[in-house]
Amino acid sequence: MAAPVELPTPAKATRKRATVRPATSVLYDAPGPRTKRILWVSSAAAAALLLVLGWYLVIRPLDEQGQFSEQLWGPIIDPDNASFTPLWQLIGRGTVATLKAAAIAVVTSLICGLALAMLRIQLKHLTTQRFSHLPQPVATGARGLTWLLNGVTRVCVELLRGMPVLVTIFFVARGLRQAGLHWPEMWFLVIGLTLYNMVVIAEIVRSGIEGLPRGQREAAASIGLSPAQTTRLVLLPQAVRVMLPAVISQLVVVLKDTSLGVLIGYHDLLWWTKTAVLNLNNPIQMYIVVGLIFLVVNYALSRLATWTQRHL
Amino acid sequence: MGLLIDRFELFRDGFLLTLQLCVVAGLIALLLGTIAATLRVSPLPPLRAVGTAYVTLFRNVPLTVVMFFVVFGLPALGSQARFLAIPGLDILFPRLTIDLPYFRLTALALAVYTGAFVCEGLRSGINAVPAGQAEAARALGLSFVQNLRHVVLPQAFRASVVPIGSVIVAMIKNSALAGFFGLVGDLMQTADVLTSQEGQPLIPVFIGISIGYLVMTIPLGITLDRVEKGRK
């Protein structure tokens, strides 16, 4: 009895993406037996050379400086060390503080960024209107106003985008403190990060929406949707798929920039690390640990970005 | 606003120092990025692993941590980054050779960090070169190195102008960190001194140093946009 054979449906077959072969894979031939041997030998030689270099340039100097000593590493890796528990409690507290600020900044940047993108699209749309249903002076006024608003938002976006985020955070913190607002530092950090990242996210969203085929907007308009409805119901859902990877990469940037909080006195991971280094006097070891923590979290986020890119 | 005119020299010197830092760090970053990109496309797995490790590490660790590590860690190891004090360069970059190591250390941290992103920009450029080019070069009998040097890299450099340009813009903005890590007299540190020690009003200082940064970032950004649009 013949088993029913499942034929690949055309829909399935076409869903397979055309893969672009990167030039890196064609720089050299698929190795034959001789080349394979040469590659093996030279790989081994390169690995050995790297190990020797690593030993002479990194490990040995570090060892001569006593950087592998129990005294410096003990508080970090030895649970019996008196400093072990308090140190990791501080690191934990710092990590939570950093992640908390980053999470809030991410949410506010996303919300404000979306709102800003909508505003800019709406304004740009309005500048194409002639307001001919209004009486002449009002129409001219309305057109002037939309041009002005469009220009102002554009200039603000360019200025905020061109400024170092650190300068923004620094002056937000100083300025609000001088204005008599004694909020916790975290909010200054969040406001500074939001001001910068909302602009970046707005640009990603805007280019995602403007990259859609014109027919989408025209079709939506022809079935009677208002510009706001068009954006919300038709354009945004499609644009999200295109821009999600870029947005997630931007979130990695937000998380990395959260570490700037230490410079305005926010008690984050780096701040507690700095404090610990003052007492334990082991900067190399502590900054390696902090680097690893950031590395793990950010690497996971970047993988998520790549994964989303592949699965959308 | 009088502050901007009265203390114009201070802002100008701050701008020039930030510019010097960016030029030094940018040049080293381009060098490191090119080396790392070559490693990443090499046929030897151990070399590829080194390139990948470098890029993964510095793309995922914040510059602040790198700065802490380089500025406080290297001196603890007894290095003042003296190898950057190349004789002759002190005409252009007087800070490179002075005793205080902070210009060298912050430039090094900025360069090592930016190098990873330059490598990614280059690699995206290499991937943008059509596979047929490298295949044709190989069909002509060019070796791996010849292939890279005469065929792939010249085209890759052209394709990576825009990505590397935006990396450099980001680096200029990141250079503001140096002022918090011992570099005296750059734009950010000038702002800090003026507002906290001298108690000057915030707004003029903010405008002054913003102009300093925007003069560098906005024209570069506009040029890159032009180049990108011109290509399409």
Side-chain angles (χ1 to χ4, degrees), chain B residues 2 8-9 22 24 41 43 47 60 70-71 89 100 105 107 140 143 167 177 179 183 185 187 194 206 209-210 227-228:
Chain B
F8 174 72
E9 272 106 57
C22 291
V24 171
V41 297
L47 297 184
N60 290 304
V70 171
V71 174
L89 278 186
L100 272 180
L105 290 175
L140 287 174
S143 72
V167 167
L177 256 92
L183 180 65
L187 281 171
L194 281 178
F206 177 68
I209 73 158
S210 305
V227 172
E228 200 176 10

Side-chain angles (χ1 to χ4, degrees), chain A residues 26 161 174 256 259 298, chain B residues 59-60 64 77 138 173 195:
Chain A
V26 292
R161 230 170 29 141
R174 278 274 156 85
K256 281 167 79 175
S259 66
N298 282 326
Chain B
R59 280 185 71 191
N60 290 304
T64 328
L77 292 176
R138 240 181 41 216
K173 296 193 242 168
T195 54

Side-chain angles (χ1 to χ4, degrees), chain A residues 198-260:
Chain A
M198 69 185 243
V199 169
V200 178
I201 288 176
E203 288 302 286
I204 297 173
V205 174
R206 205 173 59 91
S207 63
I209 287 181
E210 281 175 0
L212 290 173
R214 281 177 63 107
Q216 295 289 331
R217 180 184 283 278
E218 285 162 5
S222 71
I223 58 171
L225 296 183
S226 72
Q229 282 175 319
T230 310
T231 312
R232 193 164 54 84
L233 298 173
V234 180
L235 302 178
L236 204 54
Q238 297 185 68
V240 164
R241 298 182 59 170
V242 186
M243 70 208 190
L244 205 56
V247 169
I248 296 181
S249 328
Q250 191 57 32
L251 300 188
V252 176
V253 176
V254 176
L255 183 53
K256 281 167 79 175
D257 284 348
T258 310
S259 66
L260 294 172

